[in-house]
Amino acid sequence: MEDFAPHFEEVAPGVRRLRVPVPFPTRWVNVYLVGDGADAVLVDTGYPFPPGRRVLQEALRRTGSRPRVILITHAHPDHFGMALELQERFGCSVWMEAREWEVTWAYRPGTEVWEEVARQFLRAGMPAERVRQTVESGQKVWEPAKPPRVGRLLREGEVLNLGGGRWEVFLTPGHAPAHVCLYETRTGTLLAGDHLLPRITPNIGLWPLAGPDPLADFLRSLHGLRDLPVRQVLPGHGDPYEGCAERTEELLAHHASRLEAVEAVLRGGARTAYEVHLALFGADLDPHNERFGLTEAMAHLVYLEQRGKVRTQDGDPVRYILSRGGDGWQTRSSR
């Protein structure tokens, strides 16, 4: 495994970053420390993974900081997974958006959500044994991530005084039901979570508890931030970068291309969501990655269906076909 230094590095005024290793293809998650000492705020935590825990604990020891707040951008295990144990260690408050906190409870292993995931995947045409493997894999990922006790529920538009800065809360659903970004006007710093990643595109999947059209949510979220005068983007994965507007346009173009690719698959005739997924991503994914590939294919099909570009055929599993006419779709909008 790559050697991760237990050291917070300054990446923006008043903000330091720590790369915390995770046992997933992204290799690490960025944890940010806003402010110092007793006023320090930790943004995201990493996953309950021994190498990551060691890096985070040693880095906090070296800074001498005892976070008073842990702020979670969204309820995926690699971002909130160590919140409860840090809360119990430091006695700090955890801040999250209400729907994201609900997700931390809903996706515990053995809950009804995983039964709904299985039903979704079967309706999408995934073979039953593969459904079993992907659902089992997902529950194993979620099992170590315990829901924290939340002291404050974040709201769209509120301004938080953190580390000497004034950070505005933006809800940016798509990758997660109520993903949160934070923007500091004075410095032009955007704590972006997984909304604006520099090199990879965040998974936009049709999951239980997501909105009925998560890709539409994500595209609206991109448009909602595109005109902010952002100087520096601090992402949840990858390195901080400049060029927020350019990256936004790249993500819009990516999904326009992906929608065109889905339509191209359906020109060959009726297809299940699973068959569309195989055409887009191939058949050699492990259960962990196939889970994301299928939910993303489903999200793109729902987006096209909502805009009259495709329709479903009755049956089990459900199949999609191209529609004649339709209202059209567009991922770019005029400024």
Side-chain angles (χ1 to χ4, degrees), residues 207-318:
W207 296 95
L209 300 185
D213 193 352
L215 179 56
D217 291 339
F218 181 65
L219 298 176
R220 280 193 296 270
S221 298
L222 289 175
H223 290 304
L225 295 184
R226 68 192 300 181
D227 291 328
L228 284 179
V230 176
R231 299 176 193 167
Q232 182 87 329
V233 179
L234 306 183
H237 303 278
D239 293 325
Y241 65 96
E242 299 176 357
C244 178
E246 292 81 1
R247 184 57 180 151
T248 297
E249 294 300 327
E250 290 173 359
L251 289 170
L252 291 169
H254 165 80
H255 286 289
S257 176
R258 178 62 53 78
L259 289 164
E260 291 168 356
V262 171
E263 289 190 278
V265 173
L266 296 181
R267 289 192 192 104
R271 297 287 187 273
T272 66
Y274 187 66
E275 289 169 333
V276 172
H277 148 74
L278 292 176
L280 295 176
F281 301 110
D284 59 350
L285 297 180
D286 60 28
H288 177 79
N289 286 298
E290 188 160 63
R291 201 165 57 247
F292 295 116
L294 177 54
T295 58
E296 182 139 334
M298 293 161 61
H300 283 75
L301 286 163
V302 163
Y303 184 90
L304 291 169
E305 183 182 19
Q306 291 292 317
R307 283 144 193 85
K309 298 292 286 184
V310 307
R311 58 188 177 88
T312 58
Q313 289 182 326
D314 291 336
D316 188 14
V318 173

Side-chain angles (χ1 to χ4, degrees), residues 3 7 33 51 67 90 124 133 165 175 221 227 238 286 304 319:
D3 184 29
H7 172 70
L33 193 64
F90 293 112
Q133 292 171 352
H175 178 64
S221 298
D227 291 328
D286 60 28
L304 291 169
R319 286 180 166 80

Side-chain angles (χ1 to χ4, degrees), residues 112-124 131:
E112 293 180 2
V113 159
W114 290 106
E115 296 175 9
E116 175 58 22
V117 170
R119 288 192 293 268
Q120 272 190 329
F121 286 5
L122 287 170
R123 289 195 300 268
V131 171

